[in-house]
Structures are given as structure tokens and as C-alpha cells.
């Protein structure tokens, strides 16, 4: 099944160099890479498909899934405190033909919620040296009864508190998982946007390298024909060399951005390296909101109570409130009572009579309660600390999200302005080139106009990158865990 998934996705858009995949998978991957390279000169890595692979295969995303399993395991362990128990205690001594004693004590216990424990018991003692109070009928003695705490441990005890806290921890784990997955998708998105910017910057220099090369050839021909001075060829060559230098620098940045993107690419626990031929989706601007699921997430529809971070803190507070109640319950005196009916014939219900019984009362109460009162104060302080953290996080989130929406509105305007600026610089360059063809301009002025246009286009790529980064920050601030990836 896994091999089919790899095959399908590679056929669509994933010509990658996959290292360390043994045998069959490696051959399939290489075969598909060759086919793709033959069919598509520049295969496109789609932004949504890329994030889908990150969410499914990245180690941190998988690690986040362990939180849910840990929460379920803790809940199972806590429920084990209410499991019925069977206890058997057998002790026998025989020496030189004399049976000193033989003691058999079997018990079946059923713990219940409110500090009540149901118990059934069978005892059989025999031997020459058993204690008088251990003398029982030859066929043994049966008992059935109940033990309960009337003071400390009645409304809440360690078993109840552990189970309640485990339920809160399970829900908190789900919220924490959303935060972890959101965090790795946020970093992966930034890597994709930086890769896109590096790719666009490289294309800017590459286009102008071709223009400068064509211009140099034309100037050389005109200089040889005597229409221009030879020194103009030097000016044109310097312009070409500057463009080539810029392209090489952009190429290094593109390589680094590609490797940074590869940090998030894994398939079946194997890291994947992106091939140089793979390019980003230059039309990603229209897909970001849908992929990150931030479309329609306006301030008017924002419900902070559903934010995973706040939900995680609320569940943490819930668990600490349970702990505080348990510590407060420790201030009560410990009063445990037990009553058991005794019978030799448990098959007859009427044999359980109140005259035959075994019971007891246990009472304990520290005089100063310094330990208990100290524990309760610490529990209150810890609870208040997390409540302060929740209140602060709520205000911070609201202000941060509000600021990001305002920043996005500003970037929309800035991108519109830079588009016009680039168009105007392009018009100036075209006009300068026409004047140059009529002999009314110089190579120096053309290079100057072209440099301004290059700077404007790089600035346009930078603003677009900041715009995309801000959208990713909004995605992170909202802590969205896209279910459709």
C-alpha cells in the first residue's frame, strides 16, 4: 500500500532523489524520476501536496500523534484503580509430621467510585498451633461485606483524582497535538515561501543575464561597424558581469533554500532530498488561504475559547483543580468503617444474619495538619499560576491576531504599489532602450535603468515573501491543524 502512495505522488509532481531506500522502492523512484524528467522539464511541487507529506511523514508530526496514545494509556492506567481484584494468601508450616498451621485467605474486591469497596472473603485455618482467634469451622468461613471512608476519601480519593486528571490529560494531549502539528506545518510553510522567493530572485537575474548578453552582442557589432565607441563594449560587458554575479549569488541562495525545504520532506521514515529540477508553484498566492484554512477566519468570527493553546491550559487547570480538591480533602479526619457478614453456608441467603459479623472502625487525625495545609496552599498557588498564564495567553493571542490582520491589509496595499513601481521602471527601461537605438542615450543609462528595475523586482519578491510569511504567522497564531491535508 505504501509503495502505491509513493508511486502516485511521484507521478504527479514529486521527482526527488530518495536516498537509502532499499531495493524495490529505490528502483521505482528512479524510474519515475527519469520518466518525469523526460515529460516535464520543470516539475512543480504543489504547496498543498508538500504540506500533506509533511503532516503525514515528518517525525515531529508523528511524535505529536504519540501524545494521544500517551493520554489514552494514562487513562487506562487510572481506570485500573477501579478494577476488581482477587487476592489469595496461603501459608503453611509442617515439621516432623506435625502440621503447625495452614492458613488460606482468599478475597475478591470491587472498588467503587465514592470510597466504597465491596468484598467477598473465604478463610480456612487449621493446625495444632494456630492462634485461638484464628479458629474457624473445618470447612472454612465465608464473609461478604463493605468497607468505606466516611471522612477523608469519601467525596474524592487518590483513585478518583487520578482518573479525573487522566481524562483532563487526554483532552489536553489532543490540544497539544494540534499545537505541535501546527508548529511543524508553520515552519514547513516558511521554508516553502523562502524557496519560492529564492527561485523568483534567481529568475530575475537569469532573465537580465540573457538581456545583457544580447545587448553586448549588439553593441559589439555596432562598434565593429563604427556606429559606437569601443569603450561602450566595456560598459556593456561590465553590466553583463554584474548580472552574472547576481545570478550566481541568487543560485547559492536557491540551493540553500532547497536544502532547508528538504528538512521537512520524509517518506516512510526516510529523509528525501529535492532535485534541482523541481520548482515551486509560482501561483501559490491563490492557494495559500485554502491550504492553510485561514480563509474566512476574520476577527468577527474568531472564537478564542476554541484555540488549542487555551483549551490545553483549560484542561491543565481542570486537572489542577482536581488536585486542589484532593489536597483539601486531606484536611478531613480519616474515618474508615468495615462490616462483613459471616456464614459457613453462603449458598443459603438466609445464613447471612446480623448476629454473625466481623467489623471495625479506624480513625486517624493529625493534630496540626501542617503537611496537609502546606500541600493545599501549594496546590492553590500552582492553580493560580496557570490561571494567570491562561488569562495572559488569551490577551496576547487576541492582540497578536488583530495585529496580523492589520499587517495583512497593509501588505495588500504594499504589493499593489510595488506592482505599479515595477511596471513604471519597466517603462523607463523600454524608453531608454528606444532612445539608445536612436543614438540619444548611453549604455551607462540603460544599465542604471535596468539596475533600478532589478531592485524593484527583487523588492516585489521580498514583499510577496513577507506577505506569505504573515499569512503563515496568522495560521500559527490561530493554531489550525488542517484536516484535509
Amino acid at each position: 500500500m505504501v509503495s502505491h502512495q509513493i508511486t502516485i505522488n511521484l507521478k504527479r509532481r514529486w521527482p526527488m532523489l530518495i536516498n537509502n531506500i532499499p531495493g524495490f522502492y529505490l528502483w521505482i523512484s528512479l524510474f519515475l524520476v527519469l520518466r518525469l524528467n523526460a515529460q516535464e522539464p520543470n516539475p512543480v511541487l504543489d504547496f498543498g501536496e508538500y504540506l500533506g507529506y509533511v503532516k503525514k511523514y515528518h517525525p515531529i508530526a508523528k511524535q505529536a500523534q504519540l501524545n494521544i496514545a500517551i493520554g489514552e494509556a494514562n487513562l487506562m492506567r487510572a481506570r485500573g484503580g477501579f478494577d476488581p481484584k482477587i487476592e489469595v494468601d496461603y501459608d503453611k508450616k509442617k515439621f516432623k509430621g506435625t502440621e503447625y498451621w495452614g492458613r488460606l485467605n482468599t478475597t475478591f474486591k470491587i472498588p467503587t467510585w465514592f470510597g466504597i469497596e465491596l468484598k467477598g472473603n473465604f478463610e480456612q485455618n487449621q493446625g495444632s498451633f494456630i492462634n485461638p482467634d484464628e479458629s474457624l469451622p473445618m470447612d472454612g468461613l465465608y464473609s461478604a461485606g463493605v468497607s468505606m471512608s466516611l471522612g477523608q476519601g469519601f467525596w474524592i480519593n487518590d483513585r478518583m483524582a487520578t482518573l479525573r486528571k487522566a481524562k483532563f490529560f487526554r483532552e489536553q494531549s489532543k490540544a497539544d497535538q494540534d499545537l505541535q502539528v501546527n508548529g511543524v506545518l508553520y515552519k514547513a510553510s516558511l521554508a516553502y515561501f523562502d524557496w519560492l522567493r529564492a527561485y523568483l530572485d534567481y529568475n530575475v537575474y537569469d532573465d537580465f543575464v540573457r538581456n545583457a548578453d544580447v545587448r553586448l552582442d549588439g553593441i559589439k557589432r555596432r562598434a565593429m561597424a563604427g556606429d559606437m565607441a569601443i569603450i561602450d563594449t566595456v560598459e556593456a560587458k561590465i553590466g553583463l558581469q554584474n548580472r552574472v554575479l547576481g545570478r550566481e549569488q541568487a543560485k547559492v541562495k536557491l540551493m540553500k533554500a532547497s536544502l532547508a525545504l528538504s528538512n521537512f520532506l520524509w517518506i516512510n521514515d526516510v529523509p528525501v532530498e529535492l532535485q534541482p529540477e523541481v520548482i515551486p508553484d509560482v501561483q501559490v498566492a491563490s492557494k495559500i488561504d485554502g491550504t492553510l484554512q485561514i480563509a474566512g477566519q476574520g476577527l468577527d468570527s474568531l472564537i478564542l475559547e476554541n484555540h488549542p493553546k487555551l483549551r490545553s491550559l483549560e484542561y491543565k487547570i481542570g486537572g489542577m483543580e482536581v488536585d486542589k480538591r484532593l489536597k483539601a480533602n486531606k484536611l478531613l479526619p480519616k474515618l474508615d468503617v468495615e462490616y462483613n457478614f459471616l456464614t459457613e453456608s453462603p449458598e443459603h441467603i438466609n445464613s447471612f444474619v446480623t448476629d454473625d459479623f466481623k467489623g471495625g472502625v479506624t480513625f486517624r487525625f493529625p493534630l496540626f495538619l501542617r503537611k496537609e495545609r502546606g500541600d493545599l496552599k501549594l496546590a492553590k498557588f500552582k492553580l493560580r499560576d496557570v490561571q494567570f498564564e491562561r488569562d495572559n495567553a488569551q490577551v496576547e493571542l487576541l492582540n497578536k491576531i488583530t495585529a496580523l490582520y492589520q499587517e495583512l491589509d497593509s501588505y495588500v496595499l504594499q504589493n499593489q504599489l510595488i506592482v505599479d513601481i515595477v511596471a513604471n521602471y519597466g517603462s523607463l527601461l523600454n524608453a531608454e532602450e528606444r532612445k539608445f537605438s536612436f543614438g540619444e542615450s548611453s549604455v551607462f543609462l540603460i544599465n542604471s535603468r535596468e539596475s533600478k528595475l532589478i531592485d524593484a523586482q527583487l523588492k516585489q519578491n521580498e514583499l510577496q515573501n513577507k506577505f506569505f510569511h504573515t499569512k503563515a504567522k496568522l495560521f500559527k497564531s490561530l493554531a489550525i491543524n488542517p484536516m484535509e491535508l
Side-chain angles (χ1 to χ4, degrees):
M1 187 64 184
V2 173
S3 61
H4 290 301
Q5 293 174 349
I6 296 176
T7 302
I8 291 172
N9 285 286
L10 281 172
K11 280 183 177 178
R12 285 177 11 200
R13 291 193 174 104
W14 280 69
M16 302 169 185
L17 178 59
I18 303 177
N19 298 321
N20 303 324
I21 301 182
F24 184 67
Y25 294 116
L26 179 60
W27 285 109
I28 287 182
S29 302
L30 293 176
F31 172 72
L32 290 173
V33 166
L34 293 174
R35 285 193 57 190
L36 270 172
N37 287 336
Q39 296 172 0
E40 299 181 49
N42 292 110
V44 177
L45 174 58
D46 181 74
F47 180 58
E49 186 176 4
Y50 159 72
L51 288 187
Y53 267 78
V54 173
K55 182 177 180 181
K56 184 174 183 180
Y57 294 110
H58 196 275
I60 295 180
K62 288 186 174 183
Q63 183 184 25
Q65 297 174 4
L66 294 178
N67 289 337
I68 305 298
I70 292 172
E72 294 290 347
N74 277 324
L75 182 59
M76 179 184 295
R77 183 177 63 179
R79 284 174 174 162
F82 294 90
D83 288 347
K85 296 178 178 63
I86 297 177
E87 299 176 0
V88 179
D89 184 10
Y90 181 68
D91 187 17
K92 185 175 182 178
K93 180 179 179 181
K94 189 174 183 180
F95 182 66
K96 292 184 177 181
T98 301
E99 183 177 6
Y100 280 66
W101 64 73
R103 299 185 182 94
L104 175 64
N105 190 334
T106 61
T107 305
F108 179 67
K109 298 179 181 179
I110 304 177
T112 60
W113 185 252
F114 286 107
I116 301 174
E117 188 173 73
L118 305 177
K119 182 170 64 173
N121 181 261
F122 171 73
E123 292 181 89
Q124 189 177 42
N125 298 330
Q126 58 187 9
S128 303
F129 296 96
I130 62 173
N131 297 326
D133 62 337
E134 295 180 311
S135 297
L136 299 175
M138 289 297 296
D139 294 332
L141 186 66
Y142 296 87
S143 64
V146 61
S147 61
M148 62 186 302
S149 300
L150 297 179
Q152 182 185 134
F154 180 73
W155 293 108
I156 186 170
N157 54 41
D158 290 330
R159 282 197 304 250
M160 296 161 61
T162 301
L163 180 56
R164 287 174 178 173
K165 287 192 290 186
K167 289 180 179 179
F168 281 118
F169 179 76
R170 179 186 60 178
E171 299 304 318
Q172 182 183 351
S173 300
K174 294 178 181 179
D176 290 341
Q177 182 202 28
D178 290 339
L179 291 174
Q180 282 187 275
V181 172
N182 174 266
V184 70
L185 292 180
Y186 164 71
K187 293 179 181 178
S189 299
L190 296 186
Y192 188 93
F193 299 149
D194 291 342
W195 179 46
L196 173 62
R197 177 189 174 182
Y199 171 76
L200 294 175
D201 288 350
Y202 175 81
N203 282 346
V204 168
Y205 282 108
D206 191 52
D207 290 341
F208 283 100
V209 164
R210 289 194 292 268
N211 291 343
D213 190 44
V214 172
R215 184 184 303 119
L216 177 60
D217 287 341
I219 291 174
K220 284 181 177 179
R221 286 195 298 269
R222 291 181 63 180
M224 291 177 63
D227 292 341
M228 296 186 67
I230 297 297
I231 194 65
D232 287 334
T233 61
V234 178
E235 185 81 34
K237 186 174 183 180
I238 292 174
L240 173 61
Q241 290 172 333
N242 282 328
R243 304 297 176 258
V244 173
L245 177 62
R247 184 178 65 179
E248 285 302 309
Q249 293 173 341
K251 184 178 180 180
V252 172
K253 292 181 180 179
L254 177 60
M255 179 268 296
K256 290 182 177 179
S258 176
L259 291 175
L261 183 81
S262 298
N263 292 334
F264 297 93
L265 294 176
W266 295 71
I267 296 180
N268 297 328
D269 300 326
V270 178
V272 175
E273 183 179 347
L274 211 62
Q275 278 192 337
E277 292 80 8
V278 183
I279 63 174
D281 183 5
V282 295
Q283 305 297 328
V284 71
S286 60
K287 305 173 184 178
I288 292 178
D289 291 357
T291 302
L292 299 181
Q293 295 185 8
I294 58 176
Q297 296 284 343
L299 282 174
D300 52 346
S301 61
L302 181 63
I303 303 177
L304 275 182
E305 288 77 8
N306 295 333
H307 194 282
K309 183 174 183 178
L310 295 180
R311 285 193 289 114
S312 176
L313 289 173
E314 287 292 346
Y315 292 129
K316 186 176 181 180
I317 288 172
M320 300 186 79
E321 285 177 341
V322 172
D323 195 56
K324 186 192 75 171
R325 287 183 56 196
L326 179 63
K327 295 297 190 294
N329 187 260
K330 298 290 185 181
L331 297 176
L332 298 175
K334 192 169 184 64
L335 179 60
D336 297 335
V337 298
E338 181 177 1
Y339 183 87
N340 296 277
F341 295 99
L342 301 177
T343 181
E344 297 181 64
S345 52
E347 66 275 7
H348 303 297
I349 299 298
N350 57 4
S351 65
F352 290 96
V353 294
T354 56
D355 292 337
D356 300 328
F357 69 92
K358 181 175 66 173
V361 177
T362 302
F363 178 83
R364 288 194 298 272
F365 187 68
L367 293 180
F368 299 110
L369 293 171
R370 285 181 291 195
K371 178 181 181 300
E372 290 75 11
R373 287 187 287 119
D375 288 342
L376 178 59
K377 284 185 178 181
L378 288 174
K380 288 181 177 179
F381 291 148
K382 291 178 181 179
L383 174 61
R384 194 66 186 135
D385 180 65
V386 180
Q387 288 173 340
F388 285 141
E389 183 182 356
R390 176 203 56 194
D391 296 341
N392 182 63
Q394 188 168 4
V395 174
E396 281 187 347
L397 283 171
L398 181 59
N399 291 336
K400 187 174 183 180
I401 292 171
T402 303
L404 287 172
Y405 275 114
Q406 294 175 356
E407 189 176 353
L408 285 172
D409 292 339
S410 175
Y411 275 125
V412 170
L413 178 59
Q414 291 181 49
N415 279 291
Q416 292 173 350
L417 290 173
I418 196 64
V419 168
D420 294 338
I421 291 172
V422 169
N424 291 333
Y425 273 122
S427 299
L428 288 176
L429 177 60
N430 291 334
E432 203 66 46
E433 288 176 338
R434 284 198 301 271
K435 290 171 63 179
F436 179 76
S437 65
F438 297 143
E440 299 177 359
S441 184
S442 65
V443 178
F444 173 79
L445 288 176
I446 290 179
N447 285 340
S448 177
R449 297 291 190 192
E450 195 174 67
S451 296
K452 293 291 186 181
L453 178 58
I454 291 173
D455 292 341
Q457 289 185 342
L458 295 178
K459 185 66 175 179
Q460 183 180 22
N461 295 341
E462 180 186 359
L463 282 176
Q464 178 182 256
N465 180 260
K466 290 181 177 179
F467 184 45
F468 293 165
H469 271 233
T470 305
K471 287 192 173 187
K473 290 178 182 177
L474 178 62
F475 167 75
K476 185 176 187 296
S477 297
L478 294 173
I480 298 172
N481 182 2
M483 295 293 105
E484 297 179 1
L485 291 179

